[in-house]
Amino acid sequence: MCGIVGAVSSQNIVPILVQGLQRLEYRGYDSCGVAVHQNGELRRTRSTARVAELQGQVDADGVASGTGIAHTRWATHGAPAVHNAHPHFSSGRIALVHNGIIENHDELRDELKAKGYVFESQTDTEVIAHLVHHLYDGDLFDAVQRATARLRGAYAIAVFCRDEPNRVVGAREGSPLILGVATDDSGANYLASDAMALAGVTDRIVYLEEGDVVDVQLGKFWVVARQPDGQFKPVQREVKTVRAHSGAAELGPYRHYMQKEIFEQPRAIADTLEGVEGITPELFGDGAYRVFKDIDRVLILACGTSYYSGSTAKYWLESIAKIPTSVEIASEYRYRDSVPDPRTLVVTISQSGETADTLAALKHARSLGMPHSLTICNVSTSAMVRECELAYITRAGVEVGVASTKAFTTQLAGLFLLTLALAQVRGHLTDEQEAQHLKAMRHLPVALQAVLALEPQVVAWAEAFARKENALFLGRGLHYPIALEGALKLKEISYIHAEAYPAGELKHGPLALVTAEMPVVTVAPNDALLEKLKSNLQEVRARGGELFVFADADTRIENGEGLHVIRMPEHYGALSPLLHVVPLQLLAYHTACARGTDVDKPRNLAKSVTVE
């Protein structure tokens, strides 16, 4: 979501600040800004345009300094507008940027107004800036520590003061913040919300922990950690070498990153499965066998697209591993009364590993007495990986498009491996079955290439979809979550209202929506539910609905009036969801292109959702 970059250096760091924001653009944002300490004063430039336009403003204004902070904002409190954009100032002395949400901002605002502070924005962030100023008594590090003690909610902040050149202070609670340590003679040290922002600048990274406050100066830094009694104590945090990759990958022959990432899925799956010679619990970390023997059920926690991958995995886990599985939307789970079971494996799924709702749900599950946790994640250095006992790291690579594609299919690959490992430990996987499943997984990249070859046929459908404002998606059994994912993709990037249902639910209400103006997309694999699905298709045709069916080759569903069929290259059994989701991704992508929307950065959405 929001992006933070900050730095202290003996050289001009403004180009690094702006470059860092560009590397974080994929997260999504609606405004951006930079503030520096220049000629003894605070200077800032803010914009509701893209970072490229901010760069032009910075150059035109002659902004240059060795101390500064920068930010991309995704609006929560207050509309996307320049006066709400970060950095925020207080009394010309304090400059501050913030990711997260301050839950007690109203009461703090009232308190600060009573002390004479004037607010220029509707943001919760400006409250922090004024609070730091109010508590400032010549030592910014001390002021930030005292200010964070007053905050409730989630935050990652970077702040500097007019009166203390060459010093930036950072703090985090519930939102990620890292420290980058200089590798040259400039004495430079950095703060960022993501190591990617510092790719090519430094690979020496300190991952700050919950409650940390860091004092960043030329050639040195200090970290203190908040203790249970509210006091702060100096701590040592390990400096790690992290090879971060820039998000500014080349598009090559593709129009958008989303299209590129759809076509990268064969390689992403191959990379994710690289080194898997056989099924063993140790694929998920040391001690996995002991954990797997100690559990009787699985609880999956996730949001958005990751929730749909978890919903697919439920079918695998219960049918193959024979283990009871629940799938919960993370943002709902932590706020409801549930029945905990200490013999539960809590599985989190996250592309970024920084999803605030999922992290909070994980901590809630742990607080209920469920100690065993495992994550399926695409970022090995993320908070999710550090928080979980076990992990499987997918290797999708950087995913720039906000609408997830290759992250989803690699999550499914990791979850299928988890299913097989649990089945093996529980005695439900024979050597012959293991060999068959591994053979099918190794063939996935080739099978995906054959599905991608269907793109021209999908483009023809997209032209018809572009003129619609509503759509229904249908699936049954294992493919119902894939229908949900297809509907999500269409609404995310084309802004067409789309809903998904189990096909058998049509007659229980959704059939009332079916007309000639309501396209109905159906996932039709040749499985045990095929004949039931065919009956559901007849229900749609009888009411004048227009069907668009992705069917396996041997389903005997033929093109006809009001019935359009694209044939999948082959039936793929339990792994069929990985193939059937790809044409749904292509349909959403080409429909959005036909409608002229911003495919990679759809309105109102962010890539990494680091606020609740």
Side-chain angles (χ1 to χ4, degrees):
M1 191 165 277
C2 310
I4 288 175
V5 190
V8 174
S9 174
S10 59
Q11 302 169 4
N12 178 27
I13 46 77
V14 173
I16 290 175
L17 296 180
V18 176
Q19 183 183 65
L21 294 187
Q22 289 173 329
R23 290 185 172 135
L24 297 178
E25 281 191 289
Y26 76 100
R27 287 172 171 252
Y29 65 102
D30 44 49
S31 62
C32 51
V34 61
V36 300
H37 189 287
Q38 188 170 1
N39 300 324
E41 300 295 334
L42 304 185
R43 292 193 64 187
R44 71 179 168 191
T45 300
R46 299 182 290 179
S47 173
T48 55
R50 293 299 182 195
V51 175
E53 281 74 13
L54 178 70
Q55 174 73 72
Q57 290 181 229
V58 164
D59 293 342
D61 294 343
V63 178
S65 175
T67 302
I69 53 179
H71 191 263
T72 51
R73 174 180 186 252
W74 186 80
T76 54
H77 297 74
V82 170
H83 69 278
N84 285 326
H86 301 210
H88 287 287
F89 284 179
S90 179
S91 304
R93 295 178 74 190
I94 299 295
L96 181 142
V97 294
H98 162 232
N99 290 351
I101 292 177
I102 304 303
E103 295 173 356
N104 61 333
H105 69 95
D106 281 333
E107 63 184 74
L108 290 172
R109 186 186 302 269
D110 291 342
E111 177 185 325
L112 290 162
K113 282 183 175 179
K115 297 181 184 297
Y117 286 93
V118 176
F119 285 78
E120 299 176 354
S121 76
Q122 289 81 48
T123 67
D124 53 340
T125 300
E126 192 178 2
V127 168
I128 315 175
H130 290 320
L131 181 61
V132 170
H133 180 269
H134 171 64
L135 296 172
Y136 181 73
D137 189 24
D139 185 346
L140 183 63
F141 194 38
D142 176 70
V144 171
Q145 291 174 52
R146 290 193 287 150
T148 58
R150 299 287 313 279
L151 303 179
R152 293 200 310 270
Y155 58 81
I157 61 173
V159 54
F160 70 90
C161 179
R162 181 194 64 191
D163 303 336
E164 298 185 64
N166 302 318
R167 188 183 203 185
V168 175
V169 174
R172 68 152 298 193
E173 181 74 51
S175 288
L177 189 68
I178 59 135
L179 167 71
V181 182
T183 56
D184 56 22
D185 297 330
S186 67
N189 286 312
Y190 309 90
L191 290 174
S193 52
D194 188 322
M196 186 185 297
L198 304 180
V201 176
T202 182
D203 59 4
R204 300 181 67 213
I205 302 296
V206 176
Y207 289 92
L208 300 173
E209 298 185 10
E210 297 286 88
D212 281 0
V213 181
V214 58
D215 187 351
V216 180
Q217 299 187 32
L218 279 173
K220 53 191 176 183
F221 64 88
W222 294 266
V223 180
V224 295
R226 186 172 58 249
Q227 305 302 302
D229 63 1
Q231 300 300 307
F232 286 86
K233 178 182 177 181
V235 292
Q236 295 292 323
R237 297 287 184 231
E238 181 184 359
V239 180
K240 298 182 178 181
T241 300
V242 175
R243 302 296 181 185
H245 298 285
S246 170
E250 294 296 327
L251 273 173
Y254 301 102
R255 292 175 60 188
H256 300 93
Y257 284 106
M258 183 178 178
Q259 185 187 28
K260 177 176 182 285
E261 288 153 8
I262 290 171
F263 277 81
E264 285 176 340
Q265 287 176 112
R267 169 51 57 191
I269 292 291
D271 289 346
T272 295
L273 299 177
E274 186 178 1
V276 178
E277 299 298 332
I279 300 302
T280 169
E282 279 62 42
L283 289 170
F284 300 88
D286 295 338
Y289 178 81
R290 172 188 55 80
V291 171
F292 290 178
K293 290 292 287 185
D294 197 39
I295 62 160
D296 296 325
R297 60 193 312 110
V298 173
L299 169 64
I300 297 175
L301 302 172
C303 302
T305 285
S306 296
Y307 172 74
Y308 297 144
S309 68
S311 298
T312 305
K314 173 182 171 71
Y315 288 88
W316 290 333
L317 287 161
E318 294 198 338
S319 66
I320 298 174
K322 310 298 182 186
I323 186 166
T325 301
S326 300
V327 188
E328 297 263 5
I329 295 172
S331 58
E332 291 294 314
Y333 170 73
R334 62 182 294 216
Y335 291 116
R336 74 173 187 84
D337 292 332
S338 58
V339 181
D341 181 347
R343 292 182 63 82
T344 297
L345 177 63
V346 179
V347 176
T348 63
I349 310 170
S350 172
Q351 187 280 134
S352 67
E354 305 291 350
T355 309
D357 286 322
T358 308
L359 282 167
L362 169 65
K363 293 174 184 177
H364 176 66
R366 189 175 293 144
S367 73
L368 295 177
M370 294 185 284
H372 297 312
S373 59
L374 180 151
T375 190
I376 306 292
C377 185
N378 194 42
V379 182
S380 62
T381 56
S382 65
M384 200 76 72
V385 174
R386 297 197 303 274
E387 288 284 339
C388 284
E389 187 179 12
L390 304 171
Y392 192 84
I393 308 302
T394 59
R395 296 173 64 187
V398 174
E399 191 178 63
V400 177
V402 166
S404 180
T405 52
K406 62 179 180 173
F408 178 74
T409 47
T410 53
Q411 285 171 357
L412 290 178
L415 288 162
F416 194 74
L417 286 175
L418 175 62
T419 298
L420 298 182
L422 286 170
Q424 183 187 75
V425 170
R426 295 168 64 83
H428 298 300
L429 187 72
T430 67
D431 291 345
E432 182 181 359
Q433 289 169 331
E434 177 182 340
Q436 290 173 345
H437 286 308
L438 285 173
K439 181 180 179 181
M441 294 193 81
R442 292 186 183 116
H443 183 62
L444 274 171
V446 175
L448 284 167
Q449 290 286 9
V451 176
L452 289 167
L454 300 173
E455 185 181 32
Q457 297 177 59
V458 177
V459 171
W461 283 12
E463 293 298 327
F465 270 75
R467 298 189 293 271
K468 307 296 184 181
E469 294 300 330
N470 301 280
L472 287 178
F473 284 69
L474 303 179
R476 295 206 73 148
L478 185 64
H479 293 81
Y480 167 49
I482 299 306
L484 286 164
E485 173 63 9
L488 177 62
K489 285 293 152 285
L490 189 67
K491 71 181 79 170
E492 277 183 308
I493 62 170
S494 75
Y495 316 145
I496 293 173
H497 173 250
E499 298 293 339
Y501 293 92
E505 280 293 291
L506 268 179
K507 55 187 173 293
H508 296 292
L511 203 55
L513 297 173
V514 172
T515 69
E517 291 302 308
M518 175 72 79
V520 180
V521 181
T522 307
V523 181
N526 188 8
D527 59 17
L529 291 170
L530 177 61
E531 294 307 317
K532 297 289 186 184
L533 181 62
K534 286 181 177 179
S535 297
N536 303 139
L537 300 186
Q538 292 301 323
E539 293 171 348
V540 173
R541 293 189 71 185
R543 288 152 180 86
E546 190 169 13
L547 284 158
F548 295 82
V549 183
F550 292 102
D552 284 349
D554 49 0
T555 54
R556 297 193 303 278
I557 300 174
E558 304 295 336
N559 281 290
E561 185 178 353
L563 177 58
H564 312 278
V565 181
I566 290 179
R567 300 206 176 280
M568 299 289 285
E570 58 184 306
H571 177 56
Y572 222 66
L575 289 168
S576 174
L578 281 86
L579 301 190
H580 270 279
V581 75
V582 173
L584 299 181
Q585 296 169 349
L586 288 169
L587 179 62
Y589 170 73
H590 285 290
T591 301
C593 289
R595 288 169 69 95
T597 61
D598 190 341
V599 172
D600 288 332
K601 299 184 180 72
R603 67 189 183 202
N604 303 332
L605 298 181
K607 182 66 178 174
S608 180
V609 185
T610 56
V611 298
E612 184 181 351

